[in-house]
Amino acid sequence: MHFKKTNRWLCMLATHCLVSGAVARQSAQVRFTVSMPEPSNHTFHVTMDWQAGEADSTRLKLPDWQPGYYQLMDYASNVDKLVAKDGNGHVLPWVRSGKNGWVIATKGVRNLHVEYDVKTTRKFVATSFLDEEHAYLTPVSLFMHEAGKLKTPSEVTIKPFGSWNRVATGLDPVPGKLFTYVAPDFDILYDSPLLVGNLEELPAFKVKGIPHRFIGYKLGDFDRGKLMSDIQMIVEKASALIGDIPYKHYTFIAIGPGQGGIEHLNSTTISFSGDQLHARGWNGMLGFITHEYFHHYNVKRIRPIELGPFDYDKGSKTNMLWVSEGLTVYYEPLIMRAAGLMGEQEFLDFFKKQITNIETKPGRLFQTLAQASAETWSDGPFGRTGDAVNKTISYYQKGPVVGLLFDLAIRHETRNKRSLDDVMRKLYQDFYIKKDRGFTEAELRATIESVAGTKLDELFSYIYTTTEPDYKKYLGYAGLEIDVTTEKHYGTFEITKKPSASALEREIFRSWSWGE
């Protein structure tokens, strides 16, 4: 996302957290109120109040997608019973404008009041949902903005149903106003989901003095202390990798099982059920949490230039989701291994699985990694379905494999003095910190090759062509062997240590795998 550096003070989400004077002084120009009087109808009621300009008409728009989920969602189709009024309560006429717009006649009108219902039908991390037990609000699906005025500050007041007593969100609370929050612009508002209900918060921890919280709905039965201890180690290692923590508070928002996860600047919403931890595997959940947490660096701040400012109407297509998603997958086992949460064999098996996923599917011969990134808007994040599935790949699977090869190549070329970690840190510093923007494809390549100290034409061919990767060569740099002879019969792609690795290869393996 594209945000000015002054917005990096974003506060976390607990209802009672302290806020700075800067937050208290913010002046909202649009005020929203969300109520949920009959949760059994799965419908939110939204009101919107602000002052209109001098034009004869005012156009309102609702985003058509959720950044972080690269599919058009058609949120506007769930809006119903829209009514517009002036400051005296007189009804104003309006007409639909395109797929996700509404034009209101506002000639001579100063104060505007709009209200509408939003029907919810699906429990999913990218869609709002309401039932008798909780509410999950994705702002992109609920809050309209005036066309061309995304920089407008806003205030949101939540009216929880019945005895529900808590709201969790990444927005800053307004002092003295219960369940009321402020956003400096619509980019921040749209990046800050809200969970409402009788929620449970686990004991928080601090990293470098910055609080990290975990709060959710129906968390279930599990070892709460161990989970928070493990997450703390993940945060410590991930933040140490980049060398900076760019937020004042961070919260993991658990929205219930089976609904996916989406990253945000100072929070993440994740599917979670403590009752299912043992069935899924403790490390499976930790890997998922690691992925979503690391995204606040890689995609929210270290990002392709197309991913901010966003085109909320048409989506923001890029060839580099293999970086944003694929490299985030790559860093899951590295961070967990550094945190002492994953053994060496499990670490190697992670990459065996990713390589097997790619090499046993015919899509690798038809679609490039860059194409898979750009075409996700039509194909879906894991490629096409039905008969066309055999001609696509997933950047979630090939992305981490290419990340592995880049990392080992950089370590080899620099005699283990540099790694992909240096690339991530340089992208963070050069583009997010210094230029406050994303990077182009040419800038990404220049950064990687500057860290490696050499051209990496072969590796980049794995992104833009369907050239088969030379796994033996690159894994060999870390003293590893891979069995590529059995794929047609077993698809195992076993990765093992070479019995006669060189001193440099052994050192690369130790530093890459966090070995002894």
Side-chain angles (χ1 to χ4, degrees):
M1 286 188 180
H2 181 71
F3 299 110
K4 295 297 181 185
K5 295 183 182 67
T6 52
N7 287 337
R8 280 190 266 155
W9 43 255
L10 277 175
C11 185
M12 155 288 152
L13 62 132
T15 302
H16 304 294
C17 75
L18 297 176
V19 294
S20 68
V23 176
R25 289 193 298 270
Q26 282 191 330
S27 177
Q29 296 178 27
V30 181
R31 288 180 167 80
F32 295 97
T33 300
V34 182
S35 57
M36 46 205 81
E38 296 184 55
S40 61
N41 290 336
H42 309 295
T43 300
F44 292 105
H45 185 69
V46 181
T47 66
M48 178 179 180
D49 293 277
W50 77 108
Q51 290 187 336
E54 298 179 356
D56 291 347
S57 63
T58 299
R59 187 182 183 201
L60 298 180
K61 298 174 73 176
L62 196 65
D64 208 22
W65 68 292
Q66 163 73 62
Y69 185 71
Y70 307 101
Q71 300 280 285
L72 295 179
M73 299 296 290
D74 192 20
Y75 294 123
S77 65
N78 294 317
V79 174
D80 192 20
K81 298 179 181 178
L82 188 145
V83 176
K85 298 179 182 180
D86 64 17
N88 296 316
H90 299 134
V91 175
L92 303 173
W94 59 268
V95 295
R96 285 297 298 266
S97 174
K99 183 181 178 182
N100 61 331
W102 294 259
V103 175
I104 304 169
T106 55
K107 183 176 182 179
V109 174
R110 182 58 174 163
N111 295 317
L112 263 175
H113 172 87
V114 172
E115 56 185 276
Y116 50 91
D117 288 343
V118 177
K119 181 73 173 179
T120 71
T121 60
R122 180 187 179 192
K123 284 186 178 181
F124 183 54
V125 72
T127 58
S128 293
F129 187 77
L130 172 66
D131 63 16
E132 294 90 340
E133 296 185 319
H134 78 304
Y136 175 59
L137 292 73
T138 55
V140 287
S141 69
L142 291 173
F143 301 130
M144 298 181 183
H145 66 269
E146 193 171 342
K149 296 186 177 181
L150 285 168
K151 296 302 180 184
T152 304
S154 61
E155 183 179 281
V156 175
T157 298
I158 304 297
K159 293 186 175 180
F161 172 71
S163 62
W164 295 356
N165 60 11
R166 193 153 195 178
V167 175
T169 181
L171 294 170
D172 290 308
V174 177
K177 292 187 177 182
L178 186 63
F179 303 137
T180 300
Y181 309 88
V182 66
D185 56 46
F186 274 88
D187 282 321
I188 298 296
L189 177 61
Y190 289 153
D191 188 57
S192 304
L194 305 98
L195 182 66
V196 186
N198 294 317
L199 310 178
E200 178 186 359
E201 180 171 358
L202 304 188
F205 62 84
K206 290 185 178 181
V207 175
K208 293 186 176 180
I210 296 172
H212 295 73
R213 297 176 169 88
F214 192 104
I215 184 171
Y217 159 72
K218 285 191 172 181
L219 296 183
D221 182 25
F222 61 100
D223 188 335
R224 285 152 167 75
K226 176 173 171 52
L227 180 71
M228 295 306 287
S229 175
D230 288 353
I231 293 177
Q232 179 173 351
M233 289 188 286
I234 288 167
V235 171
E236 288 174 350
K237 294 302 180 181
S239 58
L241 190 155
I242 300 299
D244 183 36
I245 299 181
Y247 49 79
K248 292 290 182 67
H249 304 268
Y250 192 93
T251 301
F252 300 87
I253 307 175
I255 61 174
Q259 300 173 55
I262 290 182
E263 67 281 350
H264 304 284
L265 278 170
N266 68 332
S267 68
T268 181
T269 43
I270 57 173
S271 298
F272 182 88
S273 171
D275 295 332
Q276 296 178 6
L277 273 179
H278 298 294
R280 174 175 181 170
W282 189 272
N283 273 13
M285 177 57 70
L286 289 181
F288 175 45
I289 290 172
T290 301
H291 181 100
E292 298 304 335
Y293 175 76
F294 194 66
H295 262 321
H296 88 80
Y297 292 117
N298 190 33
V299 79
K300 303 304 293 185
R301 294 175 172 92
I302 303 170
R303 61 173 181 82
I305 199 163
E306 296 89 353
L307 296 186
F310 291 117
D311 184 338
Y312 289 107
D313 297 336
K314 299 177 182 178
S316 297
K317 183 180 289 189
T318 176
N319 290 330
M320 292 186 282
L321 287 182
W322 70 269
V323 178
S324 299
E325 293 292 348
L327 294 191
T328 302
V329 174
Y330 174 67
Y331 272 102
E332 289 176 31
L334 270 73
I335 292 168
M336 289 181 63
R337 180 80 171 131
L341 300 172
M342 178 181 283
E344 182 180 284
Q345 190 57 52
E346 185 181 0
F347 180 76
L348 293 177
D349 285 347
F350 178 93
F351 295 106
K352 165 192 166 181
K353 178 180 179 181
Q354 301 302 326
I355 293 172
T356 301
N357 284 338
I358 291 298
E359 293 300 322
T360 56
K361 295 177 182 177
R364 74 188 191 282
L365 304 176
F366 295 93
Q367 188 180 51
T368 71
L369 192 49
Q371 288 171 335
S373 297
E375 293 167 9
T376 187
W377 291 92
S378 57
D379 292 353
F382 293 97
R384 300 167 197 162
T385 59
D387 292 339
V389 70
N390 290 325
K391 291 193 175 182
T392 59
I393 61 171
S394 169
Y395 48 79
Y396 282 100
Q397 295 173 344
K398 190 170 182 180
V401 170
V402 169
L404 166 66
L405 304 187
F406 269 112
D407 198 357
L408 297 183
I410 293 169
R411 292 173 186 271
H412 171 77
E413 295 295 339
T414 64
R415 298 194 64 79
N416 206 38
K417 291 182 173 62
R418 290 189 169 187
S419 70
L420 192 63
D421 298 356
D422 294 284
V423 172
M424 302 305 286
R425 285 190 286 267
K426 189 170 176 57
L427 292 172
Y428 183 83
Q429 290 293 329
D430 289 357
F431 296 98
Y432 172 63
I433 296 294
K434 295 178 182 178
K435 297 182 179 180
D436 195 26
R437 67 169 175 85
F439 46 81
T440 66
E441 290 178 80
E443 290 168 336
L444 173 68
R445 179 165 186 162
T447 300
I448 293 174
E449 291 183 336
S450 71
V451 170
T454 188
K455 293 288 186 182
L456 298 172
D457 294 339
E458 183 176 66
L459 285 172
F460 279 97
S461 74
Y462 300 158
I463 298 166
Y464 296 103
T465 74
T466 57
T467 301
E468 291 284 309
D470 188 344
Y471 297 114
K472 288 187 176 182
K473 171 183 174 180
Y474 292 100
L475 289 174
Y477 291 158
L480 295 172
E481 293 180 328
I482 181 168
D483 181 359
V484 296
T485 63
T486 60
E487 78 270 23
K488 295 193 182 297
H489 302 291
Y490 307 105
T492 55
F493 292 90
E494 294 290 343
I495 298 174
T496 56
K497 292 182 181 179
K498 287 198 289 187
S500 58
S502 70
L504 176 60
E505 290 169 351
R506 292 195 300 272
E507 178 55 32
I508 288 174
F509 179 80
R510 281 195 296 269
S511 61
W512 167 67
S513 68
W514 291 86
E516 295 298 328

